[in-house]
Amino acid sequence: MNGREENLDLKIKETLAAVFPEVDPPEAVLNAAIARTKTVEAGREAEQILETHTREGPDTRSLLAVATVGRMTLAGMIPGVDYREAGRQLAQSREFASLTSGRTPSENLERLRSGTLIKELGVSMRRNSRESFLKEPHARTGPSREAPKPPEIKNPEKDAPQIRGPGNGPGGLPSI
Amino acid sequence: MDAEAVVKQYSSMVYSIALNYVRNREDAEDVYSEVFLTYLKKDRDFTDEEHRKAWLIRVTINCAKDLLKKRQDYTQLEECFTLQARGLTEDVVDRLDVIDVLKQLTPAQREAVYLYYMKELTVAKIAEILERPENTVKSDLHRGREQMKVLLQPSK
């Protein structure tokens, strides 16, 4: 390429730059993408640490919770979040405890990898509900906001004993 | 390079390409998120930065085209020129000339010109990204260059 052609290419580039300016995404969008990467990387790291765990330790559930949040983020089920806080909240939730207790760390890790654990946590919930679950763990300790209404009692004597009122059931995330 | 550094380094590039294809900010933001989520999912090794950059460009273009196809609104780069022209505040006449020239090119030629000049990719990389033969890309670039030359060279 000779000097004249190089000059032309430079001019073309400058001209096109006016039509196709480099645009930054909104800050919130960039921050969400960064948060997502952090969550996923933290989740992967937690999984790696869990691989070496053979017995239940004081931090096992927290690690598993962080790994779970990371997996859910990677699946696009939740946006990028503060994984430390989200993991802490999830680890403290009643649902998570009931789903993971009584199993070895490797069993729980396997259940996480196969998707079973996340399914059991309620993947069918709508996105907003999941977000609020991660943000408001204490609100989830009570009766589920997503809980289906009890069926109408047509025969009170026959049906009434089978119906559990809100708060009497297992609570937490609705099943799939 | 860790994922956060990758997001920061290629943030503008991915968003700009997405915006040029889908032509509105909301869709561009969706494409942007999808691209980096795909990047995280793949967790793959790249031979060098050029390889990573080309991969991100390809995924961005594919995501944008998929989104447009879903909406049966696939007009490639054509309308974005018009929309961008509405927002011009300076050098309006010059830019409109450029837009007119670009409109004389086929969408494929415009894509090649855009990636060559604005993303500084080689012909081989453009061919790989757009899944077209190198000679076709060369021919597209030649045509685009000739059109731009007419516009940019002072009239005698």
Side-chain angles (χ1 to χ4, degrees):
Chain A
M1 192 180 280
N2 62 36
R4 187 181 288 177
E5 283 179 332
E6 278 178 11
N7 194 32
L8 174 65
D9 271 357
L10 193 64
K11 269 188 176 175
I12 291 174
K13 200 176 162 185
E14 283 171 359
T15 309
L16 289 175
V19 181
F20 298 112
E22 192 88 340
V23 187
D24 287 324
E27 204 176 329
V29 175
L30 171 65
N31 289 341
I34 290 171
R36 193 174 294 118
T37 64
K38 283 181 179 170
T39 311
V40 170
E41 284 184 338
R44 282 189 179 138
E45 197 179 321
E47 282 186 50
Q48 281 172 5
I49 296 169
L50 279 168
E51 276 178 359
T52 62
H53 276 51
T54 50
R55 285 189 300 179
E56 186 79 26
D59 61 340
T60 310
R61 189 166 294 158
S62 300
L63 284 169
L64 189 66
V66 170
T68 305
V69 170
R71 285 257 164 166
M72 290 172 82
T73 308
L74 194 54
M77 294 162 65
I78 53 172
V81 291
D82 178 345
Y83 66 88
R84 287 188 194 86
E85 179 61 15
R88 189 186 65 76
Q89 291 178 359
L90 183 61
Q92 285 179 356
S93 72
R94 212 169 53 181
E95 297 81 10
F96 195 71
S98 70
L99 288 171
T100 56
S101 60
R103 292 185 170 90
T104 64
S106 38
E107 277 174 346
N108 277 324
L109 189 57
E110 183 49 41
R111 274 156 47 75
L112 172 64
R113 286 182 172 155
S114 68
T116 311
L117 183 59
I118 292 175
K119 271 188 186 174
E120 288 177 2
L121 268 171
V123 290
S124 65
M125 288 176 71
R126 283 176 301 164
R127 185 177 176 136
N128 285 344
S129 302
R130 278 195 299 273
E131 283 172 11
S132 63
F133 165 71
L134 288 167
K135 284 175 187 164
E136 304 163 22
H138 306 301
R140 308 293 303 177
T141 55
S144 169
R145 282 170 289 180
E146 297 285 320
K149 288 179 183 173
E152 193 180 330
I153 302 171
K154 290 175 184 168
N155 182 344
E157 280 186 19
K158 186 181 171 188
D159 294 337
Q162 296 173 11
I163 297 167
R164 292 192 298 187
N168 294 333
L173 301 164
S175 58
I176 301 164
Chain B
M1 192 188 293
D2 68 25
E4 184 179 344
V6 170
V7 171
K8 283 179 178 168
Q9 179 165 335
Y10 294 105
S11 181
S12 299
M13 182 192 82
V14 168
Y15 187 71
S16 300
I17 295 173
L19 197 57
N20 281 326
Y21 275 81
V22 298
R23 306 183 303 274
N24 73 75
R25 289 185 182 275
E26 283 181 2
D27 285 343
E29 286 170 16
D30 285 347
V31 170
Y32 176 91
S33 299
E34 184 65 29
V35 169
F36 287 118
L37 196 56
T38 306
Y39 177 81
L40 288 170
K41 277 183 191 168
K42 293 285 180 192
D43 195 25
R44 57 179 289 174
D45 291 327
F46 294 95
T47 51
D48 53 29
E49 265 326 289
E50 277 304 301
H51 184 201
R52 195 197 312 271
K53 179 182 169 184
W55 187 88
L56 285 166
I57 291 175
R58 185 169 69 224
V59 173
T60 307
I61 291 174
N62 288 344
C63 281
K65 285 181 176 177
D66 283 348
L67 190 142
L68 294 175
K69 272 182 195 166
K70 274 181 200 163
R71 296 184 181 174
Q72 300 184 328
D73 184 29
Y74 186 42
T75 51
Q76 292 197 328
L77 293 172
E78 192 150 3
E79 284 184 29
C80 75
F81 298 119
T82 314
L83 291 178
Q84 287 193 356
R86 287 178 196 158
L88 298 178
T89 53
E90 54 189 36
D91 302 331
V92 174
V93 176
D94 286 350
R95 290 186 194 186
L96 288 176
D97 283 350
V98 178
I99 290 164
D100 283 342
V101 167
L102 289 168
K103 277 193 160 181
Q104 289 169 31
L105 303 176
T106 65
Q109 289 166 345
R110 280 197 294 271
E111 276 186 306
V113 166
Y114 173 68
L115 293 175
Y116 183 79
Y117 286 106
M118 298 315 301
K119 299 303 157 197
E120 298 179 336
L121 295 175
T122 62
V123 170
K125 281 285 177 204
I126 296 170
E128 187 188 319
I129 288 170
L130 299 178
E131 295 176 334
R132 287 176 201 151
E134 276 193 42
N135 282 339
T136 307
V137 173
K138 274 184 194 167
S139 158
D140 287 342
L141 279 173
H142 178 73
R143 166 96 173 126
R145 202 164 180 277
E146 287 303 305
Q147 292 276 5
M148 295 294 288
K149 195 173 172 181
V150 173
L151 173 76
L152 294 170
Q153 278 184 343
S155 53
K156 292 171 185 173

